[in-house]
């Protein structure tokens, strides 16, 4: 779907995504005129980025296949840095939150890095004026919400944990895209 009038009307641009299996979760980010769509490749179970050119309305070549240690039903999230690299966060089968960087110029993935053990990503957002991102996650115990700052390419700050019982959220509410946001100089949850 594409809108050329600020979202008032939408037009279908074609069937461009050919599923090879169970792409259950996605992450989206924009880099220049390219929309990067992070998915789990259904055939291999690995991360892959689909690339959509918004100028030509065409699907570009997919990225090389990335890490294989994914939890098939956990959320994915990604942000594009100003230099073009893409930071991706996901949970592994053991329930640990991992981060990995994809570099489009060399079509390569870095090695995954542990963000926080026993946790699930809620959202990943990037400040518009810097290459600083905030990764929000729920601890598996359900007892707290965590946040860690990640700067380009994969430099992690200290984790801040806020005691917010999972029962304070409707089931799945924390996974709704857009929950964390940056409003001026404040990061809001």
């Amino acid at each position: 779907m594409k809108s050329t009038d600020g979202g008032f009307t939408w037009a279908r641009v074609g069937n461009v995504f050919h599923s090879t299996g169970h792409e259950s979760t996605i992450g989206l980010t924009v880099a220049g005129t390219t929309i990067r769509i992070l998915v789990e490749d259904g055939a291999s179970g690995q991360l892959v980025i689909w690339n959509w050119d918004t100028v030509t309305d065409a699907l570009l070549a997919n990225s090389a296949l990335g890490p294989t240690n994914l939890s098939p039903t956990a959320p994915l999230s990604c942000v594009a840095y100003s230099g073009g690299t893409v930071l991706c966060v996901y949970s592994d089968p053991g329930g640990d939150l991992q981060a990995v960087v994809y570099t489009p110029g060399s079509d390569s993935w870095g090695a995954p890095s542990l963000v926080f053990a026993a946790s699930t990503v809620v959202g990943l957002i990037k400040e518009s004026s810097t290459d600083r991102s905030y990764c929000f996650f729920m601890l598996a115990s359900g007892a707290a919400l965590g946040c860690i700052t990640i700067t380009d390419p994969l430099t992690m700050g200290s984790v801040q944990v806020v005691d917010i019982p999972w029962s304070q959220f409707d089931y799945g509410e924390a996974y709704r895209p857009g929950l964390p946001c940056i409003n001026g100089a404040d990061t809001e949850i």
Side-chain angles (χ1 to χ4, degrees):
M1 302 291 291
K2 182 175 183 174
S3 174
T4 58
D5 59 7
F8 290 104
T9 60
W10 293 87
R12 184 178 180 154
V13 292
N15 295 325
V16 295
F17 302 114
H18 302 285
S19 174
T20 56
H22 64 282
E23 291 88 358
S24 59
T25 59
I26 65 171
L28 299 169
T29 190
V30 177
T33 61
T34 303
I35 298 173
R36 305 223 187 263
I37 306 162
L38 175 68
V39 299
E40 176 190 354
D41 180 68
S44 68
Q46 294 174 264
L47 283 179
V48 67
I49 294 179
W50 295 336
N51 297 291
W52 177 260
D53 185 325
T54 60
V55 175
T56 63
D57 290 333
L59 184 65
L60 306 174
N62 292 349
S63 72
L65 292 175
T68 59
N69 58 337
L70 309 176
S71 173
T73 58
L76 304 169
S77 195
C78 61
V79 295
Y81 288 125
S82 60
T85 58
V86 180
L87 171 65
C88 308
V89 292
Y90 63 95
S91 292
D92 65 23
D96 296 335
L97 185 60
Q98 302 283 340
V100 65
V101 173
Y102 170 72
T103 305
S106 60
D107 194 26
S108 61
W109 294 85
S113 294
L114 178 67
V115 175
F116 204 79
S119 58
T120 302
V121 67
V122 173
L124 181 67
I125 57 173
K126 186 182 102 45
E127 290 182 351
S128 61
S129 60
T130 71
D131 279 339
R132 180 174 35 239
S133 299
Y134 302 93
C135 180
F136 294 89
F137 53 92
M138 288 299 295
L139 278 64
S141 65
L145 177 71
C147 177
I148 188 168
T149 302
I150 305 174
T151 54
D152 186 18
L154 192 52
T155 304
M156 291 186 237
S158 58
V159 172
Q160 298 179 22
V161 176
V162 179
D163 292 329
I164 301 175
W166 183 250
S167 61
Q168 297 297 312
F169 294 95
D170 292 332
Y171 184 75
E173 181 73 11
Y175 296 123
R176 185 183 323 182
L179 178 67
C181 65
I182 294 180
N183 180 6
D186 300 327
T187 301
E188 300 178 355
I189 302 173

